[in-house]
C-alpha cells in the first residue's frame, strides 16, 4: 500500500443514509487505482471495471426497506414506471403513489456503487468496500408529492456548486 | 364525505379511452383487457344510438367489484330512450347478483345486439389506482372514487350527445346525501338514488350487468407483468379459499404483491405485515417546537453548534464514514 492513495483532504456529505457526496483531494491519481484508502478505517477496492458497461440503474426510494437482499426491480417496478409531463415519472411501491425525477450525476463526480460483504459489528475495525458498478444518473422518488427544486435531494445538489467555490484552490 | 369531487391525479394520467377494440359481444372482452395497461383506469363507451340523441333517455348507474381484494372495481352506465324503457326487462335484466355468470353474459350479448337502442359505458378502476388513492397523504376513499366515476361517466355520456332526462343510481351508502349531491351537479335531470336500485330499476340492472361482466372478464384475462405468476386466484374475494391461498403464495418480500392486488385492503395489508419486509416511510421532519424556547436553555452551557438551515433543509450532514 502506498501513500499516494491517501487523500490530502476529505469531505463527505451525507445526502441520505445510502447516498453520499464525497470530495477528495489527492496529490496525484495513479493510472490504475486498485484500492483507495478513504480514511484510517475504510478501504475502497476500485479494481473493478468502472467503464460504461458496468452502469446500473438506480432508484432512490422514499422509504427504508428493513432488509438487505436483491429485489425483482425489473419485473415488479420497472414495467410500471410511466413518464408524465415535465420530466415527471410515476410509479407505485406497496400500493403507495410515487412521483419521481431523474438526476444526472454532476460533472466532476462519479456515481459509484459499493458493497460491503460483512459489516463489522465493532467500531474502529478496518472495513472493505468493493465497487460493483457505476451510475450516470438515478431517479429519486417522492411519496405522493411532485418533485420540485425544493426537495431536499434536488436542493442538495446546490451544495456541489458551493463546495466548488468554497474549496477550490485560488488560481 | 361526498361534499366535493376531489381530484385524484391529473385526468390525462389515468384514463385511457379505448378506440382500437370495439366490444360487440362478450368474446371481445379478452382482447379489450389484453391491451389494458392495468396500472391505470380504462374507460370504454359503446357507440351512442341515434335514438338516444333524439329522444329523452333514462340512465342507470351501478358498480361491480367493490369488495374484493383482487382486481378492478368497475363502474357501469346504461341508457335507453324513455319510449323503450321496457326493453331491459325483455332482455332479462334483473338484479345481477341473482343471475348466474352465464346468464349475465347472455344478457350482456343481448345488450350489445340492441346497439341501436341501448348504449352503455364502463370505467375499469385499476386496483393500483384504488390503493394509490387510499394511501394518499390526504386519503381519497373508495366512496370518493365511486362518486367521481359515476359522475364522470354520466358527464361523458351527456357530452357525447345522449339526451339524458332521468338518472337512476344504486348506492351502498346513505341515498339522501348522494341524491342531493347529484341533483346539484345535474339540476335539469330527475335524479333517483336508492339502495338495491339494481333490483328495482331495470336500467340500473342493465348497467349492473355490464359492470359485472366486465369485472369478471378483467380478472379472467389479467396479464401479469411480474413474470410467471399463477392465475389460480379464484374470485378475488378475501373469503374465497383460492384467493386466500394465492395471496399467501405470491408475496414478494420487497414489492409485496403483483399489482392485481389492492394493497390498501386489510387482508393484503395483514399478510404483508407478517410475511414481507417491513417498510418505514420517510416522514416529513417535524419542526421542533418552533418559536418556543425553554427557559432552561438560558442556563445551560453553550449549546452544541447548530447546523446552518441551508444544510438542514437539504438533509446534508458532514460525516466521515459510510
Amino acid at each position: 500500500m502506498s501513500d499516494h492513495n491517501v487523500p490530502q483532504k476529505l469531505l463527505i456529505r451525507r445526502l441520505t443514509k445510502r447516498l453520499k457526496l464525497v470530495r477528495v483531494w489527492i496529490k496525484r491519481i495513479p493510472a490504475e487505482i486498485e484500492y483507495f484508502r478513504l480514511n484510517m478505517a475504510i478501504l475502497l477496492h476500485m479494481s473493478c471495471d468502472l467503464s460504461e458497461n458496468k452502469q446500473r440503474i438506480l432508484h432512490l426510494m422514499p422509504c427504508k426497506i428493513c432488509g438487505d437482499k436483491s429485489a425483482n426491480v425489473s419485473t415488479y417496478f420497472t414495467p410500471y414506471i410511466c413518464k408524465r409531463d415535465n420530466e415527471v415519472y410515476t410509479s407505485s411501491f406497496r400500493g403507495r403513489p410515487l412521483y419521481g425525477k431523474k438526476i444526472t450525476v454532476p460533472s466532476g463526480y462519479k456515481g459509484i456503487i459499493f458493497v460491503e460483504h460483512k459489516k463489522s459489528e465493532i467500531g474502529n475495525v478496518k472495513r472493505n468496500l468493493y465497487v460493483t458498478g457505476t451510475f450516470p444518473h438515478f431517479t429519486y422518488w417522492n411519496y405522493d408529492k411532485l418533485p420540485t427544486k425544493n426537495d431536499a435531494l434536488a436542493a442538495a445538489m446546490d451544495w456541489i456548486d458551493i463546495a466548488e467555490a468554497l474549496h477550490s484552490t485560488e488560481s | 364525505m361526498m361534499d366535493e369531487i376531489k381530484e385524484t391525479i391529473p385526468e390525462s394520467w389515468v384514463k385511457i379511452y379505448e378506440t382500437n377494440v370495439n366490444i360487440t359481444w362478450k368474446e371481445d372482452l379478452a382482447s379489450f383487457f389484453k391491451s389494458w395497461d392495468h396500472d391505470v383506469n380504462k374507460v370504454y363507451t359503446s357507440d351512442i344510438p341515434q335514438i338516444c340523441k333524439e329522444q329523452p333517455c333514462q340512465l342507470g348507474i351501478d358498480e361491480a367489484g367493490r369488495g374484493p381484494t383482487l382486481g378492478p372495481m368497475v363502474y357501469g352506465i346504461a341508457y335507453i330512450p324513455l319510449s323503450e324503457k321496457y326493453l331491459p326487462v325483455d332482455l332479462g335484466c334483473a338484479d345481477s347478483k341473482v343471475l348466474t355468470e352465464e346468464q349475465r353474459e347472455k344478457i350482456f350479448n343481448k345488450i350489445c345486439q340492441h346497439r341501436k337502442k341501448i348504449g352503455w359505458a364502463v370505467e375499469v378502476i385499476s386496483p393500483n389506482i384504488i390503493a394509490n388513492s387510499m394511501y394518499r397523504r390526504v386519503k381519497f376513499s373508495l366512496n370518493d372514487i365511486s362518486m367521481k366515476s359515476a359522475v364522470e361517466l354520466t358527464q361523458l355520456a351527456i357530452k357525447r350527445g345522449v339526451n339524458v332526462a332521468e338518472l337512476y343510481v344504486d348506492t351502498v351508502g346513505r341515498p339522501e346525501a348522494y341524491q342531493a349531491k347529484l341533483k346539484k351537479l345535474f339540476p335539469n335531470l330527475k335524479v333517483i338514488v336508492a339502495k338495491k336500485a339494481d333490483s328495482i330499476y331495470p336500467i340500473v340492472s342493465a348497467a349492473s350487468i355490464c359492470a359485472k361482466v366486465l369485472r369478471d372478464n378483467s380478472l379472467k384475462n389479467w396479464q401479469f407483468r411480474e413474470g410467471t405468476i399463477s392465475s389460480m386466484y379464484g374470485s378475488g374475494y378475501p373469503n374465497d379459499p383460492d384467493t386466500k391461498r394465492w395471496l399467501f403464495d405470491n408475496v414478494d418480500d420487497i414489492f409485496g404483491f403483483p399489482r392485481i392486488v389492492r394493497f390498501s385492503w386489510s387482508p393484503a395489508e395483514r399478510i404483508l405485515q407478517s410475511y414481507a419486509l417491513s417498510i418505514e416511510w420517510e416522514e416529513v421532519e417535524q419542526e421542533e417546537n418552533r418559536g418556543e424556547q425553554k427557559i432552561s436553555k438560558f442556563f445551560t452551557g453553550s449549546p452544541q453548534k447548530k447546523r446552518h438551515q441551508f444544510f438542514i433543509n437539504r438533509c446534508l450532514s458532514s460525516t466521515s464514514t459510510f
Side-chain angles (χ1 to χ4, degrees):
Chain A
M1 195 179 301
S2 51
D3 268 355
H4 60 229
N5 286 349
V6 177
Q8 307 299 304
K9 202 166 148 196
L10 179 71
L11 193 86
I12 308 176
R13 290 269 171 197
R14 208 187 93 165
L15 284 169
T16 72
K17 265 193 177 150
R18 289 153 296 147
L19 194 68
K20 300 196 171 69
L21 283 174
V22 181
R23 281 174 63 91
V24 289
W25 289 263
I26 45 181
K27 268 186 195 151
R28 66 189 178 87
I29 305 169
E32 282 189 6
I33 310 176
E34 283 206 351
Y35 45 76
F36 185 85
R37 176 166 290 287
L38 193 62
N39 57 28
M40 287 313 282
I42 301 172
L43 198 62
L44 304 178
H45 294 259
M46 316 288 284
S47 55
C48 180
D49 181 13
L50 287 183
S51 62
E52 310 279 298
N53 54 18
K54 272 278 190 176
Q55 282 186 4
R56 302 296 172 88
I57 296 162
L58 241 63
H59 297 283
L60 189 65
M61 305 302 280
C63 59
K64 184 184 167 198
I65 300 162
C66 304
D68 191 3
K69 58 184 292 191
S70 62
N72 301 319
V73 181
S74 62
T75 48
Y76 277 79
F77 193 71
T78 316
Y80 296 102
I81 297 173
C82 216
K83 193 175 178 184
R84 308 298 186 178
D85 341 315
N86 304 322
E87 307 294 303
V88 174
Y89 294 81
T90 58
S91 192
S92 305
F93 181 65
R94 296 268 181 117
R96 270 79 172 175
L98 303 182
Y99 296 94
K101 199 178 176 183
K102 263 197 181 138
I103 287 193
T104 304
V105 174
S107 65
Y109 285 76
K110 196 167 180 69
I112 306 178
I113 304 163
F114 290 98
V115 65
E116 187 170 21
H117 297 298
K118 197 172 61 186
K119 196 177 172 182
S120 174
E121 295 290 318
I122 328 147
N124 290 330
V125 167
K126 283 183 181 152
R127 293 168 59 192
N128 290 291
L129 279 79
Y130 298 84
V131 175
T132 57
T134 62
F135 57 96
H137 45 71
F138 60 93
T139 312
Y140 82 94
W141 295 95
N142 280 345
Y143 165 35
D144 192 26
K145 203 173 68 177
L146 285 165
T148 71
K149 282 190 303 212
N150 300 324
D151 289 337
L153 185 83
M157 293 299 159
D158 298 343
W159 167 250
I160 287 164
D161 292 334
I162 293 167
E164 202 65 50
L166 282 178
H167 299 283
S168 62
T169 48
E170 280 178 66
S171 53
Chain B
M1 188 172 61
M2 287 178 174
D3 282 335
E4 56 183 302
I5 298 165
K6 295 179 245 169
E7 276 304 315
T8 30
I9 37 181
E11 204 67 359
S12 57
W13 289 11
V14 288
K15 301 222 172 143
I16 310 292
Y17 292 89
E18 182 61 40
T19 48
N20 307 334
V21 179
N22 197 13
I23 302 175
T24 53
W25 65 320
K26 179 234 151 194
E27 301 304 317
D28 292 328
L29 295 175
S31 57
F32 175 78
F33 283 113
K34 283 205 171 93
S35 68
W36 177 31
D37 165 14
H38 60 236
D39 228 26
V40 294
N41 297 356
K42 180 154 172 152
V43 174
Y44 177 87
T45 65
S46 71
D47 289 337
I48 314 273
Q50 192 54 37
I51 193 171
C52 293
K53 293 181 181 173
E54 289 159 1
Q55 294 186 18
C57 293
Q58 55 175 214
L59 185 148
I61 308 177
D62 197 10
E63 122 280 308
R66 196 184 171 82
T69 313
L70 303 188
M73 173 166 82
V74 180
Y75 251 83
I77 63 167
Y79 48 88
I80 37 160
L82 294 176
S83 59
E84 296 282 348
K85 68 177 176 186
Y86 297 107
L87 180 63
V89 187
D90 297 341
L91 299 182
C93 293
D95 184 354
S96 70
K97 285 173 194 81
V98 304
L99 297 169
T100 64
E101 189 175 337
E102 202 182 325
Q103 285 172 319
R104 283 194 299 264
E105 290 184 344
K106 260 189 191 145
I107 298 167
F108 177 74
N109 281 344
K110 282 190 207 160
I111 291 172
C112 291
Q113 277 163 18
H114 287 78
R115 66 177 68 93
K116 293 271 185 276
K117 288 174 182 167
I118 301 189
W120 59 279
V122 287
E123 180 174 12
V124 185
I125 301 166
S126 159
N128 180 59
I129 295 292
I130 295 174
N132 279 186
S133 303
M134 291 173 71
Y135 280 142
R136 289 194 60 183
R137 288 166 191 270
V138 179
K139 185 180 170 179
F140 193 79
S141 73
L142 199 65
N143 279 339
D144 297 328
I145 298 172
S146 304
M147 172 93 180
K148 186 172 187 287
S149 186
V151 168
E152 285 176 358
L153 281 173
T154 309
Q155 282 168 339
L156 186 65
I158 294 170
K159 204 175 121 197
R160 295 205 172 171
V162 180
N163 182 1
V164 182
E166 301 173 359
L167 209 56
Y168 296 87
V169 188
D170 191 280
T171 183
V172 285
R174 270 179 52 233
E176 297 80 12
Y178 200 179
Q179 176 145 344
K181 180 73 205 159
L182 286 173
K183 190 73 205 161
K184 216 168 154 190
L185 280 164
F186 303 104
N188 301 324
L189 308 188
K190 175 181 161 190
V191 179
I192 295 187
V193 180
K195 287 187 181 182
K196 299 203 165 71
D198 66 332
S199 57
I200 307 166
Y201 305 102
I203 194 61
V204 180
S205 310
S208 168
I209 285 162
C210 292
K212 186 82 175 122
V213 169
L214 271 274
R215 151 82 199 169
D216 289 345
N217 279 274
S218 74
L219 215 57
K220 267 186 225 157
N221 295 292
W222 191 268
Q223 304 282 309
F224 285 103
R225 280 191 258 156
E226 290 89 354
T228 323
I229 305 278
S230 154
S231 296
M232 302 295 287
Y233 39 68
S235 64
Y237 282 85
N239 55 358
D240 180 333
D242 286 342
T243 302
K244 240 185 224 171
R245 195 175 322 111
W246 185 90
L247 282 168
F248 276 105
D249 291 347
N250 287 281
V251 174
D252 180 275
D253 277 7
I254 290 164
F255 295 97
F257 290 113
R259 296 199 187 186
I260 192 174
V261 177
R262 300 181 189 173
F263 282 72
S264 50
W265 252 237
S266 54
E269 281 183 330
R270 275 198 302 273
I271 290 173
L272 291 189
Q273 251 164 35
S274 320
Y275 300 100
L277 294 174
S278 64
I279 304 290
E280 290 165 13
W281 290 90
E282 264 175 24
E283 294 291 329
V284 181
E285 268 182 58
Q286 297 266 318
E287 289 182 47
E288 287 169 29
N289 304 326
R290 237 198 192 182
E292 201 181 295
Q293 292 198 340
K294 282 189 183 145
I295 193 98
S296 59
K297 188 173 174 252
F298 297 100
F299 300 105
T300 52
S302 63
Q304 278 193 324
K305 200 180 156 197
K306 225 182 153 228
R307 276 192 304 151
H308 191 276
Q309 198 66 34
F310 176 89
F311 296 109
I312 296 170
N313 289 346
R314 288 162 179 78
C315 297
L316 282 166
S317 64
S318 248
T319 176
S320 59
T321 186
F322 270 80

